[in-house]
Amino acid sequence: MLIIVGLTGSLLVFQREIDEFLVSQQFGQVTPKGDRLPIESVLETVKTSYAKQPDIKISSVNTLPDPYFPCRFWLQAANNESLQVLVNPYTGIIMGSHNWDETIISWTFKLHYQLLAGEIGTIIVGIVAFMLLILSITGIVLWSGWRILSGVAETRHMYQKSSMTFNGGKYFFTGSGLAPSSLPSVPHSLFSTPQN
């Protein structure tokens, strides 16, 4: 199941590119001619085409910036089917329509989120995802590499602790011993040579 979810998730990353390719192969590409028609005009064309089917309602419109791609109108039927209508944004001509639930992208979505099993599949995928989250958290906590990192940090702390700076008559200890520059000052008179 993890392989299925992983592969379908990888495909859905490129959902837009795959969908645009499939649509262009099925309905063709738009040839830009002048300026685009107002979205209200294109919307009215779609409403007129489906006026004899009052059970179908327009739910959303998708206009991509790509000049070679048609406008998409999402229509919702009474049986909860999603109909996608593609319209040339320059001429207002309907290029075609298809049932979204029967497309490859829709099938991939259902396989990824529901394992093609409806609500039961959604619950199963959710439970497995939650278990993977728990395994990931506990795996991080139990990771043996933390011991190595803590050992490095402890060694560094001991090295820093073994080094003392000379301050107020204290000595400066390092790994090589007593630093000559840290010797306490000695009165010069103790090393002076007696004069005759």
Side-chain angles (χ1 to χ4, degrees):
M1 188 184 74
L2 295 179
I3 296 176
I4 293 175
V5 174
L7 290 176
T8 53
S10 300
L11 287 176
L12 291 176
V13 171
F14 304 98
Q15 169 198 348
R16 177 178 174 181
E17 289 78 6
I18 296 175
D19 191 33
E20 289 182 1
F21 173 77
L22 294 176
V23 168
S24 63
Q25 293 297 312
Q26 184 177 359
F27 302 101
Q29 286 187 330
V30 174
T31 302
K33 294 181 180 179
D35 297 329
R36 293 191 176 196
L37 296 174
I39 191 64
E40 293 81 5
S41 176
V42 181
L43 178 60
E44 193 62 33
T45 300
V46 176
K47 287 182 178 180
T48 303
S49 299
Y50 289 88
K52 295 182 180 180
Q53 303 180 47
D55 58 324
I56 296 180
K57 305 295 182 181
I58 298 177
S59 58
S60 63
V61 180
N62 186 3
T63 57
L64 297 177
D66 189 345
Y68 298 95
F69 204 74
C71 293
R72 300 191 193 196
F73 288 83
W74 295 87
L75 281 66
Q76 198 73 27
N79 55 359
N80 291 327
E81 288 186 354
S82 296
L83 186 66
Q84 190 180 72
V85 180
L86 297 100
V87 184
N88 188 316
Y90 300 95
T91 62
I93 298 175
I94 296 179
M95 302 172 61
S97 63
H98 58 183
N99 190 337
W100 168 255
D101 297 325
E102 298 177 356
T103 60
I104 295 178
I105 296 298
S106 177
W107 182 85
T108 306
F109 263 109
K110 293 178 181 179
L111 181 60
H112 180 74
Y113 290 104
Q114 300 178 338
L115 299 177
L116 300 179
E119 293 297 329
I120 297 177
T122 303
I123 295 174
I124 294 174
V125 172
I127 293 174
V128 173
F130 180 75
M131 292 176 63
L132 286 176
L133 176 62
I134 298 299
L135 288 175
S136 299
I137 295 175
T138 54
I140 293 175
V141 174
L142 298 176
W143 181 47
S144 60
W146 293 118
R147 300 177 183 178
I148 299 175
L149 294 178
S150 61
V152 173
E154 184 178 354
T155 303
R156 183 177 180 183
H157 177 70
M158 292 177 62
Y159 174 79
Q160 293 176 346
K161 190 175 181 181
S162 64
S163 301
M164 300 175 59
T165 57
F166 174 71
N167 185 13
K170 294 182 180 179
Y171 294 95
F172 176 32
F173 291 95
T174 62
S176 59
L178 183 65
S181 60
S182 64
L183 290 173
S185 59
V186 180
H188 180 72
S189 58
L190 294 179
F191 296 96
S192 59
T193 304
Q195 297 180 357
N196 295 330

